[in-house]
């Protein structure tokens, strides 16, 4: 585990032209199997699971969930059995993400979409306990109060002064935790990877109240940078990823990170960040 993760400053004429400094917080380099925000979100959950005497982790996700794959790898590394409950039916052969999960010893179960929607209701959880025995439950996407605590630790790893901390949002758990770790005057800015991300603000507020007893009020969410929706891409996004690779030799995850960074550069270009602003963008995976 490479924690603290590296911080690198980008040299880019688009930034120089606007007198904006931009750093990448390379959480994608924390571990090849448990990258980025998934590691931070799991950390205190793994400690709690062990303290409570659990031997098995159970979690939920779509077939392409980074969180399912990360949970499988974390279980293998820290000595937990793992069960991944996947939305929808089984498709064989398994995709790359689920193949890697199974290689780490994860058992997979499938819930039809109707049941999946009710996955946190007592009868569904009881049926899973009948099938798999006792388990520590990690919610979908790994987002809960302990996950926020793990993300809250990130800002203290950043040595240079900065004004804005940017990250991509799926459930909003990462943004909620990061914002709680900022110093007075600093702000967090999330970029929704989903279309219709307006609901996220309410979720982030609720998550912060649940985890910290109060909302922090120092964050905002951009809901316009989704490129058509979750796991949707456009030629413009692909072009941005290719151009970024050529300029900076970093291959961006296009589901989350590229959309966030595209939004950041858009704000630079249109002068939304005043001259002199220092921005840190978290490469969450
Ligand atoms: C899961 C994931 C996110 C979303 O994190 P949330 O805490 O659910 O908002 C962002 N970036 C990457 C790379 C991810 O895998």
């Amino acid at each position: 585990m490479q924690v603290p993760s590296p911080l690198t400053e980008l040299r880019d004429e688009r930034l120089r032209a606007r007198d904006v400094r931009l750093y990448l917080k390379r959480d994608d380099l924390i571990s090849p199997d448990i990258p980025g925000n998934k590691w931070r979100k799991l950390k205190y959950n793994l400690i709690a699971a062990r303290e409570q005497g659990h031997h098995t982790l159970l979690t939920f996700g779509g077939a392409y969930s980074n969180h399912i794959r990360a949970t499988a790898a974390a279980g293998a590394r820290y000595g937990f059995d793992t069960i991944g409950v996947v939305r929808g039916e089984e498709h064989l052969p398994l995709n790359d993400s689920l193949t890697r999960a199974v290689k780490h010893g994860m058992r997979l179960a499938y819930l039809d979409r109707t049941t999946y929607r009710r996955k946190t209701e007592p009868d569904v959880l009881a049926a899973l306990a009948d099938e798999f025995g006792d388990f520590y439950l990690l919610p979908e996407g790994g987002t809960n109060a302990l996950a926020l605590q793990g993300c809250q630790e990130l800002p203290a790893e950043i040595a240079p002064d900065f004004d804005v901390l940017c990250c991509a949002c799926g459930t909003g758990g990462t943004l909620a935790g990061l914002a709680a770790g900022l110093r007075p005057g600093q702000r967090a800015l999330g970029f929704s990877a989903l279309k219709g991300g307006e609901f996220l603000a309410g979720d982030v507020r609720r998550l912060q109240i649940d985890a910290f007893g109060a909302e922090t009020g120092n964050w905002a969410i951009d809901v316009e940078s989704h490129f058509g929706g979750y796991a949707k891409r456009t030629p413009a996004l692909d072009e941005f990823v290719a151009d970024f690779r050529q300029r900076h030799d970093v291959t961006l995850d296009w589901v989350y990170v590229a959309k966030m960074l595209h939004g950041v550069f858009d704000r630079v270009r249109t002068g939304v960040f005043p001259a002199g602003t220092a921005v840190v963008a978290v490469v969450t995976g």
Side-chain angles (χ1 to χ4, degrees):
M1 293 296 155
Q2 194 181 351
V3 182
S5 60
L7 186 82
T8 57
E9 182 170 1
L10 278 191
R11 309 268 165 221
D12 192 306
E13 79 247 6
R14 295 169 292 181
L15 301 169
R16 218 168 308 129
R18 291 287 179 180
D19 191 20
V20 170
R21 275 177 297 148
L22 176 58
Y23 301 88
L24 297 186
K25 178 69 170 152
R26 293 295 305 274
D27 267 19
D28 56 316
L29 301 179
I30 287 180
S31 149
D33 290 324
I34 323 173
N37 67 340
K38 299 303 182 286
W39 158 248
R40 294 190 190 271
K41 290 166 82 170
L42 281 166
K43 175 179 168 187
Y44 288 108
N45 279 291
L46 297 176
I47 291 170
R50 176 143 313 149
E51 278 175 5
Q52 293 165 23
H54 291 285
H55 301 290
T56 304
L57 310 172
L58 180 143
T59 196
F60 300 99
Y64 292 91
S65 162
N66 286 338
H67 164 66
I68 290 226
R69 184 159 67 77
T71 301
R77 192 179 179 107
Y78 296 102
F80 293 96
D81 294 334
T82 53
I83 297 155
V85 181
V86 181
R87 178 181 60 232
E89 359 181 304
E90 181 176 38
H91 291 286
L92 295 173
L94 294 176
N95 67 38
D96 185 54
S97 184
L98 292 180
T99 300
R100 287 165 77 165
V102 168
K103 279 208 182 108
H104 280 119
M106 180 174 258
R107 282 183 292 166
L108 299 178
Y110 296 85
L111 289 182
D112 66 78
R113 277 153 206 279
T114 314
T115 313
Y116 190 88
R117 244 173 268 130
R118 303 198 307 107
K119 60 188 170 303
T120 56
E121 291 182 20
D123 62 316
V124 179
L125 290 176
L128 288 169
D130 278 347
E131 192 173 346
F132 295 110
D134 164 72
F135 53 75
Y136 181 88
L137 179 70
L138 288 161
E140 184 172 38
T143 291
N144 59 12
L146 292 175
L148 267 62
Q149 272 181 38
C151 295
Q152 187 185 12
E153 296 179 341
L154 183 148
E157 295 176 11
I158 303 169
D161 274 335
F162 66 93
D163 305 293
V164 186
L165 182 60
C166 297
C167 73
C169 294
T171 63
T174 300
L175 175 67
L178 293 181
L182 294 176
R183 290 201 300 272
Q186 296 177 325
R187 301 198 50 86
L189 180 58
F191 293 80
S192 174
L194 305 85
K195 187 154 73 181
E198 288 79 5
F199 71 91
L200 279 169
D203 284 4
V204 170
R205 271 195 291 276
R206 275 188 291 278
L207 285 164
Q208 289 195 320
I209 289 166
D210 186 36
F212 311 119
E215 51 182 289
T216 60
N218 59 350
W219 51 270
I221 301 177
D222 176 315
V223 296
E224 308 290 336
S225 300
H226 56 72
F227 287 85
Y230 182 71
K232 297 265 171 30
R233 62 208 295 176
T234 68
L237 184 67
D238 292 344
E239 168 59 27
F240 179 76
V241 170
D243 177 68
F244 199 88
R245 188 187 301 123
Q246 202 161 35
R247 286 175 194 258
H248 301 298
D249 201 23
V250 176
T251 302
L252 302 173
D253 154 81
W254 61 269
V255 177
Y256 290 104
V257 178
K259 294 179 181 184
M260 178 270 296
L261 269 176
H262 187 280
V264 169
F265 274 96
D266 229 35
R267 281 165 191 251
V268 172
R269 184 177 56 80
T270 55
V272 174
F273 295 130
T277 303
V279 180
V280 177
V282 184
V283 181
T284 37

